[in-house]
Amino acid sequence: ILFYHLLFLGIKKTSPTLFIINEIKNKNANYSKIKSNFMKQKFFQIRYQDNISQKLIKKKNNELIILKKGSYVLRLFSSLEKILKIHV
């Protein structure tokens, strides 16, 4: 269940990566058009609010701090990157 939740954490709402891939899939492969559409999205604010509500990060004195749960998520994704040989 934890793996399922973490896997879909990035795709339950459109992520920046998924947005770009979907644009290309939908026959919109023009770089300038994708970039323009991308800049109109509110990815940061959406992800920021998600991370706060899931207690992955918190804001303290205008600094963002990774919480214990956020550290676990980072380690899990780091392990998945190594297993799948994905370099981010």
Side-chain angles (χ1 to χ4, degrees):
I1 295 174
L2 177 64
F3 180 73
Y4 176 84
H5 178 71
L6 291 173
L7 178 64
F8 288 98
L9 183 68
I11 61 175
K12 69 180 181 177
K13 295 183 179 148
T14 302
S15 70
T17 300
L18 189 56
F19 175 84
I20 293 169
I21 291 170
N22 278 327
E23 286 289 301
I24 296 167
K25 181 188 89 172
N26 293 326
K27 309 274 190 262
N28 181 17
N30 180 281
Y31 172 82
S32 296
K33 194 170 184 180
I34 291 173
K35 183 177 178 184
S36 175
N37 290 341
F38 183 88
M39 298 307 284
K40 293 176 187 173
Q41 303 300 313
K42 297 179 181 177
F43 294 116
F44 175 79
Q45 192 61 33
I46 291 168
R47 288 298 183 172
Y48 170 74
Q49 291 299 328
D50 281 349
N51 288 333
I52 293 286
S53 68
Q54 293 179 34
K55 299 187 185 329
L56 300 175
I57 63 171
K58 75 175 183 176
K59 185 177 178 183
K60 183 177 181 181
N61 300 327
N62 207 33
E63 296 285 325
L64 297 177
I65 300 167
I66 299 171
L67 298 175
K68 189 174 185 178
K69 187 176 175 184
S71 292
Y72 292 141
V73 171
L74 279 174
R75 278 188 250 142
L76 176 65
F77 279 108
S78 179
S79 297
L80 288 173
E81 287 174 351
K82 290 176 184 175
I83 291 168
L84 299 173
K85 298 180 182 173
I86 299 171
H87 302 285
V88 180

